[in-house]
C-alpha cells in the first residue's frame, strides 16, 4: 500500500533498501518474513514506524478496510 500510494516500483524500493526486487514481491505476498534490518530500512524509506508495515497478525485486506470506511460515513 505504501509503495503504491507513493508511486514507487518494486525495483525502486528494492534498490533503495539493498535487496533484489523479487524480495519485495515476496514480502508483499507474505511469502517472506524480513530481517529486522530490512524491515527497519523499508520503514525508514517510507518515514513510518515499522509496526505500520509489518505485524505478527495479517493486515485486513484493503478492500475490506475501504468497505468498512464507506459504511461508517
Amino acid at each position: 500500500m505504501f509503495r503504491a500510494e507513493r508511486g514507487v516500483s518494486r525495483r525502486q524500493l528494492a534498490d533503495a533498501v539493498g535487496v533484489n526486487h523479487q524480495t519485495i514481491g515476496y514480502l508483499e505476498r507474505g511469502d517472506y518474513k524480513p530481517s529486522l534490518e530490512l524491515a527497519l530500512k523499508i520503514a525508514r524509506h517510507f518515514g513510518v514506524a515499522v509496526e505500520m508495515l509489518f505485524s505478527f497478525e495479517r493486515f485486513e485486506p484493503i478492500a475490506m478496510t475501504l468497505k468498512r470506511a464507506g459504511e461508517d460515513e
Side-chain angles (χ1 to χ4, degrees):
M1 183 172 72
F2 281 90
R3 187 179 64 72
E5 283 179 351
R6 288 163 175 82
V8 176
S9 72
R10 286 182 180 161
R11 188 171 302 279
Q12 289 170 322
L13 178 56
D15 289 345
V17 298
V19 297
N20 185 293
H21 72 279
Q22 291 174 320
T23 301
I24 302 301
Y26 295 142
L27 285 170
E28 291 178 346
R29 288 189 303 277
D31 295 337
Y32 176 77
K33 301 206 183 336
S35 67
L36 178 58
E37 179 181 3
L38 178 55
L40 290 170
K41 284 180 178 181
I42 293 171
R44 182 176 55 198
H45 178 80
F46 290 117
V48 298
V50 72
E51 295 87 353
M52 291 187 72
L53 300 173
F54 300 99
S55 173
F56 288 119
E57 324 271 311
R58 283 188 100 35
F59 289 107
E60 178 179 63
I62 295 171
M64 295 286 288
T65 303
L66 294 173
K67 182 180 178 189
R68 256 191 315 101
E71 292 170 355
D72 292 342
E73 292 178 2

